[in-house]
Amino acid sequence: MDFMTPEGGAGLGVLYLLRAMGMTVLAGLFLCAFLDARMDGRRARLIMGAGIGAVILANIPLAFLLGSEAYMRLTPVLLNLPVFVLFGWVSRYRDGRLLFTLTTLMAETGLVTLAGMLCALPFSGRLGIDLLGRCAAALLLLCLNWRLRPLYLEMQGMLRRGWFLFSLIPLAYYVSLYVYIMLVDPGERAENLTAILVTSGMAAAAYTVIFFFFQTIRRQEQTERERQLLSTQVSALRRQQEMMARSEEKLRVHRHDMRFVLHTLTAMLERGDTAGALEYLGQSDKKLNDTVMAHYCESPVLDALLAYYAEQARSREIQVRIEIKLSRKLPADEDELCAVLANALENAIHACEALPAGTPRRIEVAAASKPHFCVEIANTCDGKAEFDRNGFPISREPGHGVGTRSIAAFFDKYQAVYSYSVGKDGMFRLRFLIARPDAGTR
């Protein structure tokens, strides 16, 4: 049967072709919702859109050349496989995560087909009702996919194993739909309705379990981040206490030696050795300055944290410059702000450590409270930073990127204005600003 023969009548064959191409476009939309690209997000979506369009255009003449029966048998190879290969090329992951995404896509497209069939069943399989059912199911699934997209992308970054096992669920569901629907004559599909509904319910239950598993992993990760932050704060405060103890000991020794210093100065001045007395006084003043501790802000926890990371950086031969003018009252929760600064400073230290030997390594921190709360953290880098569609840096290293997600959640909670950039001076910069409600009245 040809696509334009009276039997097909520009009818069944053409209808199948249009429906297959429509499902391909829908599959592309589903894939974009799940896409974590290895390139800029906008570029990846353009490539996906152009690729799917090219596949559809190439399939139109192939369908007419092969005829409807042959084309229907070859549709998975000619229409679906190229889209899957294109998605795999664009995707960041090429392991079980990719397989789970593709099998989930297959299950969702099968579910859309099922929705159309169920809607049309009471109306003797009318094609218009079938189309309406498919459109409604597709719209609901698209909304659900975009709603779950942040959690899904986060889990792809956190979980390295288990995805092949997860993939068995959508794969088994798609196979069951294929057996109960595709391999059965349209008039006999109603006999399999009970089995189809039971299978769909089981698949939905399995996906619900996966969803709650992802939620549990996210909570555990958040708890671990909070534990690490608390550990860092305790270490910073302990280090601050040790520094204070050393400073007090130096000051005690200096007070003890003060009378000898005064006697020496008196003797030198009596001899008329003014120059020697001034030099000796300068040396004594330098010793006194060594007892002074560096303080960056009024918040004791934040101050200890900055001192801790400054010492960590200097111990790695990284130059540190900190200029902070912060009031005691902060526009955000102190612990959450400490988490942001800790993550940013750790990333800065790691970036400096990754530079080749002999390359200047420098970290600069600046912050102010008025008129708005603003922070800038800069570090030397190799100039090869990549950013996603929201402007956040992309990490290619396994296990990295969790801190960036924590910073993103902080920015979202406090509606911060932020920017990541790499300047011509070779410095990677994070800037963010949190508006103070009363700033405009001062």
Side-chain angles (χ1 to χ4, degrees), residues 200-402:
S200 299
M202 293 173 63
Y207 267 93
T208 302
V209 172
I210 292 176
F211 170 76
F212 283 112
F213 173 73
F214 285 171
Q215 290 279 44
T216 302
I217 293 296
R218 171 189 271 179
R219 285 193 295 269
Q220 290 177 348
E221 182 66 27
Q222 183 177 358
T223 302
E224 178 63 19
R225 287 201 302 267
E226 292 173 353
R227 188 196 65 79
Q228 290 178 355
L229 174 61
L230 180 61
S231 175
T232 301
Q233 290 176 338
V234 170
S235 298
L237 289 171
R238 185 180 294 116
R239 184 60 180 164
Q240 190 85 334
Q241 186 179 22
E242 293 174 357
M243 293 171 64
M244 289 178 63
R246 288 200 300 267
S247 178
E248 290 177 357
E249 177 64 19
K250 289 180 181 179
L251 188 59
R252 187 187 65 80
V253 172
H254 191 77
R255 282 198 306 265
H256 179 269
D257 295 342
M258 183 59 67
R259 63 178 181 272
F260 300 108
V261 172
L262 293 176
H263 291 161
T264 303
L265 286 174
T266 301
M268 295 177 77
L269 290 173
E270 289 176 348
R271 292 197 307 267
D273 187 5
T274 306
L278 290 174
E279 182 180 356
Y280 185 74
L281 185 62
Q283 294 174 356
S284 179
D285 184 63
K286 183 177 181 301
K287 292 180 180 179
L288 183 61
N289 289 334
D290 289 341
T291 66
V292 178
M293 289 181 54
H295 287 284
Y296 303 105
C297 61
E298 297 181 25
S299 167
V301 177
L302 195 57
D303 185 62
L305 190 77
L306 290 169
Y308 174 78
Y309 278 106
E311 184 178 4
Q312 291 291 313
R314 293 189 179 108
S315 68
R316 293 166 171 78
E317 299 183 351
I318 301 172
Q319 297 179 4
V320 180
R321 183 169 64 87
I322 300 178
E323 296 181 3
I324 289 184
K325 298 179 180 179
L326 296 180
S327 61
R328 183 65 180 88
K329 185 179 180 181
L330 301 172
D333 180 80
E334 188 175 57
D335 288 340
E336 292 177 340
L337 183 59
C338 283
V340 169
L341 295 179
N343 284 318
L345 289 171
E346 281 186 3
N347 291 341
I349 292 174
H350 290 156
C352 289
E353 286 183 308
L355 294 174
T359 305
R361 301 178 179 184
R362 188 169 74 257
I363 295 176
E364 299 175 356
V365 182
S369 294
K370 299 178 180 179
H372 297 290
F373 182 85
C374 55
V375 175
E376 176 181 294
I377 299 175
N379 61 269
T380 48
C381 68
D382 56 9
K384 299 178 181 179
E386 298 180 65
F387 304 94
D388 63 18
R389 62 190 182 95
N390 295 318
F392 289 99
I394 299 173
S395 175
R396 303 296 184 190
E397 299 181 32
H400 288 250
V402 177

Side-chain angles (χ1 to χ4, degrees), residues 22-287:
M23 293 297 290
T24 302
V25 173
L26 177 63
L29 294 175
F30 284 162
L31 288 175
C32 285
F34 292 139
L35 179 61
D36 190 1
R38 60 186 178 90
M39 60 190 72
D40 177 71
R42 180 177 298 179
R43 181 187 173 195
R45 288 190 293 274
L46 286 175
I47 291 175
M48 284 292 297
I52 291 174
V55 170
I56 289 176
L57 290 177
N59 269 260
I60 294 175
L62 286 174
F64 285 93
L65 287 173
L66 296 173
S68 62
E69 292 183 2
Y71 182 75
M72 287 179 186
R73 289 194 299 269
L74 294 174
T75 296
V77 176
L78 297 177
L79 194 59
N80 302 333
L81 183 60
V83 175
F84 286 3
V85 171
L86 177 63
F87 179 79
W89 181 77
V90 173
S91 177
R92 178 184 299 186
Y93 306 109
R94 312 287 176 78
D95 50 18
R97 288 166 283 195
L98 174 62
L99 179 62
F100 180 76
T101 300
L102 294 178
T103 52
T104 297
L105 163 71
M106 294 166 58
E108 288 190 331
T109 53
L111 190 59
V112 169
T113 301
L114 174 62
M117 184 198 78
L118 292 177
C119 290
L121 199 59
F123 300 93
S124 303
R126 291 180 59 181
L127 295 178
I129 303 297
D130 182 285
L131 180 60
L132 287 176
R134 288 175 184 244
C135 290
L139 183 60
L140 288 174
L141 286 174
L142 278 174
C143 293
L144 180 63
N145 288 349
W146 283 103
R147 175 76 175 177
L148 297 178
R149 171 183 166 83
L151 175 61
Y152 183 67
L153 296 185
E154 188 175 346
M155 288 304 104
Q156 283 189 316
M158 289 183 182
L159 294 178
R160 297 291 184 270
R161 300 178 180 178
W163 292 97
F164 286 105
L165 184 61
F166 290 156
S167 301
L168 295 177
I169 297 171
L171 184 60
Y173 179 61
Y174 181 79
V175 170
S176 69
L177 290 182
Y178 189 84
V179 172
Y180 291 138
I181 297 177
M182 307 300 180
L183 298 182
V184 178
D185 292 333
E188 300 177 1
R189 290 173 180 171
E191 299 177 3
N192 296 329
L193 183 59
T194 302
I196 292 173
L197 293 178
V198 170
T199 305
S200 299
M202 293 173 63
Y207 267 93
T208 302
V209 172
I210 292 176
F211 170 76
F212 283 112
F213 173 73
F214 285 171
Q215 290 279 44
T216 302
I217 293 296
R218 171 189 271 179
R219 285 193 295 269
Q220 290 177 348
E221 182 66 27
Q222 183 177 358
T223 302
E224 178 63 19
R225 287 201 302 267
E226 292 173 353
R227 188 196 65 79
Q228 290 178 355
L229 174 61
L230 180 61
S231 175
T232 301
Q233 290 176 338
V234 170
S235 298
L237 289 171
R238 185 180 294 116
R239 184 60 180 164
Q240 190 85 334
Q241 186 179 22
E242 293 174 357
M243 293 171 64
M244 289 178 63
R246 288 200 300 267
S247 178
E248 290 177 357
E249 177 64 19
K250 289 180 181 179
L251 188 59
R252 187 187 65 80
V253 172
H254 191 77
R255 282 198 306 265
H256 179 269
D257 295 342
M258 183 59 67
R259 63 178 181 272
F260 300 108
V261 172
L262 293 176
H263 291 161
T264 303
L265 286 174
T266 301
M268 295 177 77
L269 290 173
E270 289 176 348
R271 292 197 307 267
D273 187 5
T274 306
L278 290 174
E279 182 180 356
Y280 185 74
L281 185 62
Q283 294 174 356
S284 179
D285 184 63
K286 183 177 181 301
K287 292 180 180 179

